[in-house]
Amino acid sequence: QVQLVESGGGSVQAGGSLRLSCAVNGYSYEAYWYCMGWIRQAPGKEREVVASDYPAGGLTYYADSVKGRFTISRDNAKNTLYLEMNGLKPEDTALYYCAASTSGGCYLSAFGIWGQGTQVTVSS
C-alpha cells in the first residue's frame, strides 16, 4: 500500500527557513489527483491544516497564520510533496505531518493516509 515518509525537519532560529519533503512510496491514483497536505500539531493544540494542494479541484490552500511564508509544491516525477517554510516563528514549532486524501475532499477529516511526522522547532 501507499506509504508517506516525511523528512527535512530540525531546529532553526526565528526568521530561518526549512524545506520539508514527503516521499510517496507506492503507486496511488488518489495521491496524484486528490488532495495532499501538510498538517501540524503543537503540544496541547489541535491539529491544523497548514497547506494543501488539490490538483483535481485546482485548489491550493494556506492557513492564515502561514500565508505568504510557506509554499506547498509537488514533483510528480519524483513522487514527492514539499513544504518550503520561510520566515519561521516560534509559533511554528510543531510536529509536521504529510497526508493524502482518500476521498477527494480537502479538509482534515478527508486525509486517510498519514506519514510519521517530522519535528520543526523554532527558537527565539
Side-chain angles (χ1 to χ4, degrees), residues 50-71:
V50 174
S52 61
D53 179 50
Y54 187 11
L59 300 173
T60 303
Y61 164 83
Y62 294 98
D64 289 340
S65 59
V66 307
K67 192 172 298 182
R69 299 188 296 120
F70 291 10
T71 303

Side-chain angles (χ1 to χ4, degrees), residues 91-112:
E91 302 94 290
D92 296 318
T93 296
L95 186 65
Y96 284 72
Y97 297 93
C98 172
S101 171
T102 54
S103 67
C106 200
Y107 42 88
L108 186 60
S109 62
F111 294 109

Side-chain angles (χ1 to χ4, degrees), residues 12-67:
V12 65
Q13 293 184 340
S17 300
L18 286 172
R19 182 181 176 90
L20 306 184
S21 298
C22 173
V24 181
N25 298 322
Y27 174 80
S28 175
Y29 175 85
E30 289 76 16
Y32 180 79
W33 288 108
Y34 290 169
C35 186
M36 293 192 69
W38 291 94
I39 301 93
R40 68 185 181 187
Q41 185 167 31
K45 300 293 182 65
E46 298 293 325
R47 288 183 175 181
E48 175 188 26
V49 179
V50 174
S52 61
D53 179 50
Y54 187 11
L59 300 173
T60 303
Y61 164 83
Y62 294 98
D64 289 340
S65 59
V66 307
K67 192 172 298 182

